Amino acid sequence: MAKIVIVGLGTAGISVCLTIRKKYPKNEVTIIDKKEFDLLHSCGLPFLLDGRVDSPEKLKYTLKISGIKKYLNCEAIRIIPEKKDIETKNLKSGERENVSYDSLILATGTTPFIPPIPGLRELKDKRAFTIGDLEGVARLKEVAKKAKRALVIGAGATGLEAAVALNKKGLEIIIVEALKSLLPRALDSDMSEILEEHLKKKGIKILLNKRVERVDEKSVTIDGKEIPNDVIIISCGVRPNSELAKKAGVKTSDYGIVTDERMETSVKNIYAAGDCVQVSSLIDKRPFSAYLATPAYEQGRAVAMNACGGEARYEGALASFISLIADLEIASTGFNKDQAESHGYEIVEGKVKGLTKPRWFPGAKEITFKVIADTKTGKILGAQEIGGEGTGWRINIVSLAIKANLSLEDLSKVEFAYSPATSHIPDVLLTATDLALRKLKT
């Protein structure tokens, strides 16, 4: 019987626990986590802010698996690899205890990044908030009740979801993004413009290629102009929690903890999974940070098997992404145009606007779909989609196509089911693929 110790109980940690209990039930599992409860569904925090999730308790999950020892409200202080020990500290009592392991799995997640804007850090948790935990969202909701004007720094998914939530509460919203478009990691500028116009129609002001220069008690400064402000949401990305690993001699990078395909680190018997790890692109094997639940869950399954003496490989990630922002589903997978070109690809694009059902059938929704491929091989590199709720499933088909190394020609031959009550013929995905294919052949 092996002793498996997991540090961190997020998506990856839960996946590890479930896999071990299904496949290796005789092993002893110990969890070390800073929270007072098991799992927080952190992706639901913006929806707790807007009220669609009506109670914070609904975002908590208790791991109901027998035989698992939990050190909750407890921090992992130090790893001692030569002794196969990890030193822990109880965050309430201060008591310290060493826990031994045969295999150690680090699933330490990330921490929100606070940009070095003068005055911002001093106002954190007073009128400047990240969307990272229940306590922060609760304080934000209280401050927002008395606020009239909100600033969102950063145009990633969490920031946009929070902006829409506060907009629904009647606040004046300004979104400031240092890059040229909304959701710059996921969307090309031409696709982002669709979302931008949609948000502007709801009264949300968007400032692109701009930076916040200073934050004061009742205002912010942008481009030398002082703007009155009551509440700030900081949505500037995250950084991997890799210090514990680094101090133990584990190799790390700017992207996180470095592992091999078995999710084992540079130190024997220490593994890592989830947002704290560096992943490789499934397209060209270059390293990057995924910071998404689906790769974390898949990594957790692989690392659980390997830590217990089995054999599994994690091949890499595509950063397949979806979000619901102001009644629009935004989805992407693989490379966008800028990413593909920066990785040395010459690309061909197929972008079309269509409907989810025949125009004459009630409930048809508009959808814009874009597929990107390599001009030399025709291999699919990525795709993006913007449409009404329920349209984002097409991204999963392209994700599978990339994983299967399919070309535009291959994807154009996929047989779709059709009924006017549920779909359009041809589907917008196939229309975009055919357009890219025609461009490729001319």
Side-chain angles (χ1 to χ4, degrees):
M1 182 176 69
K3 294 181 180 179
I4 312 297
V5 176
I6 306 163
V7 180
L9 194 53
T11 301
I14 287 287
S15 177
V16 171
C17 291
L18 295 175
T19 304
I20 291 176
R21 277 293 161 258
K22 287 177 183 177
K23 296 182 177 292
Y24 305 94
K26 294 182 179 180
N27 285 343
E28 179 182 309
V29 177
T30 300
I31 295 165
I32 302 167
D33 192 84
K34 294 180 182 179
K35 299 189 299 299
E36 294 183 343
F37 53 90
D38 291 358
L39 177 68
L40 171 66
H41 294 290
S42 57
C43 292
L45 289 171
F47 306 106
L48 178 64
L49 179 63
D50 78 4
R52 275 181 281 182
V53 177
D54 60 10
S55 167
E57 296 303 312
K58 291 183 178 180
L59 296 182
K60 297 179 182 179
Y61 175 78
T62 300
L63 192 61
K64 298 175 181 178
I65 301 177
S66 62
I68 292 180
K69 187 174 183 180
K70 300 175 186 176
Y71 287 77
L72 298 180
N73 223 330
C74 192
E75 182 177 8
I77 299 297
R78 182 168 65 108
I79 303 168
I80 312 167
E82 62 273 16
K83 294 184 178 180
K84 287 191 174 181
D85 268 2
I86 184 162
E87 183 181 350
T88 69
K89 177 184 176 181
N90 187 291
L91 296 176
K92 283 188 174 180
S93 67
E95 181 183 353
R96 299 196 178 212
E97 180 181 347
N98 278 24
V99 178
S100 63
Y101 64 84
D102 294 312
S103 293
L104 174 64
I105 299 171
L106 302 176
T108 47
T110 59
T111 298
F113 174 65
I114 310 299
I117 299 170
L120 182 60
R121 192 169 290 275
E122 290 81 358
L123 292 175
K124 188 177 182 297
D125 297 327
K126 297 175 183 176
R127 72 173 194 88
F129 304 90
T130 59
I131 310 291
D133 55 44
L134 292 173
E135 295 77 15
V137 172
R139 287 193 293 268
L140 169 58
K141 290 177 77 172
E142 285 302 310
V143 172
K145 288 178 181 178
K146 302 176 182 179
K148 295 181 179 179
R149 298 167 292 264
L151 174 75
V152 179
I153 306 175
T158 301
L160 296 181
E161 290 163 356
V164 171
L166 294 183
N167 175 252
K168 288 180 179 178
K169 294 178 183 294
L171 277 71
E172 297 175 14
I173 308 295
I174 298 176
I175 299 171
V176 180
E177 169 57 52
L179 299 178
K180 64 182 179 180
S181 62
L182 305 178
L183 296 172
R185 279 180 54 134
L187 299 180
D188 292 329
S189 295
D190 59 333
M191 295 290 283
S192 175
E193 286 170 2
I194 300 170
L195 175 60
E196 186 179 343
E197 289 305 311
H198 189 70
L199 294 178
K200 285 180 177 178
K201 288 177 182 178
K202 294 185 177 295
I204 295 174
K205 186 175 182 179
I206 297 170
L207 304 176
L208 301 175
N209 289 309
K210 302 290 184 182
R211 294 180 182 271
V212 178
E213 296 160 358
R214 182 174 180 80
V215 174
D216 295 297
E217 283 291 338
K218 295 183 179 180
S219 66
V220 296
T221 302
I222 303 171
D223 272 359
K225 182 180 179 181
E226 194 172 298
I227 302 171
N229 173 262
D230 302 312
V231 62
I232 297 169
I233 293 175
I234 307 165
S235 180
C236 300
V238 295
R239 297 294 182 268
N241 294 328
S242 54
E243 279 303 307
L244 179 67
K246 192 174 183 178
K247 289 177 181 177
V250 172
K251 184 179 179 182
T252 64
S253 76
D254 289 343
Y255 299 114
I257 300 170
V258 178
T259 70
D260 58 18
E261 285 189 338
R262 300 181 69 253
M263 306 308 296
E264 189 169 18
T265 71
S266 59
V267 176
K268 189 172 176 59
N269 298 313
I270 299 180
Y271 300 80
D275 289 352
C276 64
V277 306
Q278 169 184 294
V279 299
S280 61
S281 166
L282 198 58
I283 298 171
D284 66 359
K285 297 302 180 184
R286 291 196 189 186
F288 76 109
S289 302
Y291 301 144
L292 293 165
T294 305
Y297 195 87
E298 189 176 343
Q299 291 161 21
R301 291 195 297 186
V303 76
M305 295 178 66
N306 292 320
C308 293
E311 185 62 33
R313 304 275 169 174
Y314 178 72
E315 297 176 352
L318 290 172
S320 299
F321 155 87
I322 190 167
S323 182
L324 182 64
I325 301 171
D327 305 319
L328 285 181
E329 277 192 10
I330 318 293
S332 69
T333 189
F335 293 154
N336 62 24
K337 180 179 183 290
D338 288 346
Q339 291 162 349
E341 291 177 344
S342 71
H343 284 231
Y345 290 97
E346 293 183 15
I347 65 164
V348 61
E349 302 174 345
K351 175 187 170 186
V352 299
K353 183 177 180 179
L355 295 172
T356 56
K357 302 175 185 179
R359 189 174 300 278
W360 47 266
F361 199 92
K365 299 173 182 176
E366 285 190 352
I367 176 173
T368 302
F369 197 90
K370 183 178 190 177
V371 65
I372 296 171
D374 177 20
T375 57
K376 293 181 180 179
T377 64
K379 298 297 182 185
I380 299 162
L381 299 175
Q384 300 156 46
E385 175 272 333
I386 297 181
E389 188 172 351
T391 59
W393 57 265
R394 293 164 180 82
I395 284 298
N396 296 324
I397 292 180
V398 180
S399 173
L400 178 61
I402 296 173
K403 188 174 178 63
N405 203 30
L406 298 187
S407 66
L408 290 169
E409 188 79 45
D410 298 324
L411 185 58
S412 71
K413 297 175 182 177
V414 172
E415 182 178 323
F416 276 55
Y418 169 70
S419 164
T422 63
S423 51
H424 193 281
I425 188 168
D427 187 84
V428 66
L429 186 159
L430 295 180
T431 306
T433 301
D434 286 341
L435 175 59
L437 198 56
R438 289 198 302 274
K439 289 181 179 179
L440 192 64
K441 292 179 177 180
T442 56

